[in-house]
């Protein structure tokens, strides 16, 4: 589907399927039978959907196919993003991710489930599947976040294998960077490929995962938005979910994913909510000219939206056996 048609269709569907307060208000005037049918339509979306940031075809297909077979939203999202965590050619996620400026690869990830539970790991070394590790924090500890060595030791206790995340290629690229090591924490089109994934399963439940090696050659200990619930990812199963990629510091300052879900709660479409979240950043000053941020979002009725600052962001959408790469609309048309 062309981008233009996509937006048109999304907004047309939005007329009849607004989520949250507005549909419930309308429902007050309906008969009991119609009310029940309306609730079923909202909560029992039989067509599973997987969306993820960027052109991660295989990862999104994996999640979409699992959803189609009946797997739950969170398990599907984690299985999907694991493809990129294990892809050593991807220099911004998992094994093969660019190291910090001292040569250590440190990973960040979070997951959020449809029951509102979440887990997160920050600055973890030597573990590839950090989204699964974030899930274990959620299910196997009384906590939400584990950081650094504590997260790594917890991983070994959970049976994760120790792995060297610095590949020959990423080591060589870092050594080249060291020849003129300018510290410029700007995220451009070439060096941000965090995978954030949102899944809507056959039961109509939404969950998501977000996993990254963060900014290339970052300061030791730097953590961005990706593992921070509300910034890199947020889910409210009554409303929808959102994920972010790009300049994490700016997403953190506006709690972008939470903002999008709250805007949808107040009646906005996923598309409108992503646009407003980008506007919160671009309206502050003109520093946005130097960095990219992109959001994708889904609501309970399966409408999808996406918006970014600069041209170039794409995302994947799997539905009904089709896995499409869609060009996002963007703010800076100057
Ligand atoms: N958001 C990530 C971070 O700031 C970077 C990215 O999306 O690639 O760490």
């Amino acid at each position: 589907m062309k981008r233009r048609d996509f937006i048109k269709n999304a907004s047309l569907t939005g007329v009849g399927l607004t989520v949250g307060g507005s549909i419930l208000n309308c429902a007050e005037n309906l008969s009991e039978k119609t009310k029940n049918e309306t609730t079923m339509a909202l909560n029992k979306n039989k067509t599973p959907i997987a969306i993820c940031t960027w052109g991660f075809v295989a990862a999104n297909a994996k999640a979409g196919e699992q959803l189609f077979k009946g797997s739950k939203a969170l398990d599907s999202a984690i299985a999907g993003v694991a493809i990129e965590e294990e892809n050593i050619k991807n220099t911004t996620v998992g094994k093969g991710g660019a190291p910090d400026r001292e040569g250590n690869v440190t990973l960040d990830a979070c997951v959020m489930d449809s029951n509102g539970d979440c887990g997160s790991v920050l600055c973890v070394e030597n573990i590839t599947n950090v989204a699964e590790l974030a899930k274990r924090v959620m299910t196997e500890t009384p906590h939400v976040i584990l950081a650094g060595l504590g997260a790594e030791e917890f991983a070994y206790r959970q049976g994760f294998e120790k792995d060297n995340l610095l590949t020959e290629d990423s080591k060589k690229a870092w050594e080249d960077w060291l020849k003129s090591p300018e510290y410029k924490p700007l995220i451009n089109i070439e060096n941000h490929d965090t995978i954030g994934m949102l899944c809507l399963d056959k039961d109509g439940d939404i969950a998501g995962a977000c996993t990254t090696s963060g900014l290339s050659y970052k300061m030791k200990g730097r953590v961005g938005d990706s593992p921070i619930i509300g910034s890199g990812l947020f889910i409210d199963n009554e409303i929808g979910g959102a994920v972010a990629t790009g300049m994490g510091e700016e997403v953190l300052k506006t709690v972008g994913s939470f903002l999008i879900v709250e805007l949808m709660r107040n009646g906005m479409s996923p598309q409108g909510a992503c646009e407003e979240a980008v506007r919160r950043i671009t309206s502050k000053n003109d520093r946005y000219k130097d960095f990219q941020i992109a959001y994708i979002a889904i609501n309970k009725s399966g409408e999808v939206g996406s918006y970014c600052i600069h041209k170039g962001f794409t995302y994947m959408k799997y539905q009904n056996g089709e896995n499409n790469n869609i060009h996002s609309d963007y703010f800076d048309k100057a």
Side-chain angles (χ1 to χ4, degrees):
M1 189 187 295
K2 287 200 188 106
R3 172 81 200 149
R4 200 178 46 237
D5 298 338
F6 168 75
I7 293 174
K8 204 168 82 191
N9 285 351
S11 51
L12 280 176
T13 346
V15 174
L17 293 175
T18 312
V19 294
S22 40
I23 193 135
L24 295 180
N25 292 342
C26 295
E28 279 167 16
N29 301 322
L30 303 174
S31 69
E32 273 311 311
K33 182 172 172 287
T34 321
K35 259 190 221 173
N36 290 343
E37 280 166 3
T38 308
T39 312
M40 288 291 285
L42 267 179
N43 296 337
K44 293 280 174 193
N45 186 323
K46 295 288 180 198
T47 310
I49 300 173
I51 58 173
C52 78
T53 54
W54 304 105
F56 296 124
V57 176
N60 207 55
K62 173 84 183 175
E65 282 155 17
Q66 278 209 199
L67 286 168
F68 185 74
K69 287 183 195 148
S71 168
K72 287 302 293 172
L74 184 63
D75 295 334
S76 307
I78 292 173
V81 300
I83 301 271
E84 285 308 317
E85 291 174 333
E86 290 160 19
N87 174 8
I88 60 170
K89 296 284 176 214
N90 181 339
T91 57
T92 50
V93 179
K95 184 168 178 153
D100 64 15
R101 61 186 184 180
E102 293 169 43
N104 300 307
V105 182
T106 64
L107 304 182
D108 304 322
C110 71
V111 298
M112 190 154 187
D113 205 355
S114 39
N115 59 6
D117 285 337
C118 49
S120 164
V121 290
L122 277 55
C123 228
V124 188
E125 294 183 46
N126 303 313
I127 303 293
T128 299
N129 294 121
V130 278
E132 172 63 28
L133 183 59
K135 180 188 166 191
R136 301 291 180 91
V137 173
M138 178 180 90
T139 58
E140 308 303 321
T141 82
H143 308 300
V144 168
I145 303 176
L146 286 181
L149 201 50
E152 187 180 338
E153 288 172 0
F154 169 67
Y156 301 136
R157 289 199 299 278
Q158 287 291 309
F160 286 67
E161 300 272 318
K162 182 170 185 160
D163 202 358
N164 176 12
L165 304 180
L166 189 67
T167 59
E168 279 310 309
D169 285 351
S170 52
K171 183 162 180 252
K172 187 170 177 318
W174 168 66
E175 284 166 350
D176 287 346
W177 175 81
L178 278 179
K179 289 175 192 157
S180 48
E182 200 186 352
Y183 193 63
K184 237 182 160 187
L186 296 180
I187 293 200
N188 55 35
I189 285 175
E190 295 78 52
N191 70 355
H192 60 109
D193 278 348
T194 290
I195 182 163
M197 185 175 283
L198 301 168
C199 290
L200 173 69
D201 65 27
K202 280 188 171 173
D203 296 324
D205 290 327
I206 300 174
C210 188
T211 176
T212 190
S213 55
L215 196 58
S216 305
Y217 319 131
K218 59 197 175 188
M219 283 177 70
K220 183 173 185 172
R222 181 268 182 189
V223 172
D225 61 312
S226 304
I228 306 301
I229 296 294
S231 289
L233 167 72
F234 194 73
I235 306 289
D236 182 326
N237 196 40
E238 286 186 10
I239 307 298
V243 279
T245 180
M247 190 67 186
E249 281 70 6
E250 301 301 322
V251 176
L252 283 164
K253 288 176 203 168
T254 49
V255 200
S257 294
F258 181 74
L259 172 63
I260 290 169
V261 173
E262 288 308 294
L263 291 168
M264 292 195 291
R265 187 192 306 282
N266 287 309
M268 274 196 184
S269 66
Q271 182 61 33
C274 289
E275 290 181 17
E276 176 57 22
V278 165
R279 251 181 248 120
R280 293 282 169 105
I281 295 164
T282 55
S283 61
K284 284 201 274 187
N285 50 51
D286 63 4
R287 291 208 309 259
Y288 70 84
K289 291 184 189 300
D290 293 329
F291 58 78
Q292 172 71 306
I293 286 173
Y295 292 110
I296 60 173
I298 189 167
N299 69 13
K300 196 69 178 164
S301 37
E303 285 181 279
V304 165
S306 151
Y307 203 61
C308 58
I309 299 180
H310 304 287
K311 188 176 181 177
F313 172 67
T314 68
Y315 66 100
M316 297 299 306
K317 180 181 178 193
Y318 183 104
Q319 187 173 22
N320 295 327
E322 276 187 36
N323 196 28
N324 293 316
N325 187 231
I326 299 166
H327 287 263
S328 174
D329 195 8
Y330 54 97
F331 172 79
D332 191 6
K333 304 236 165 66

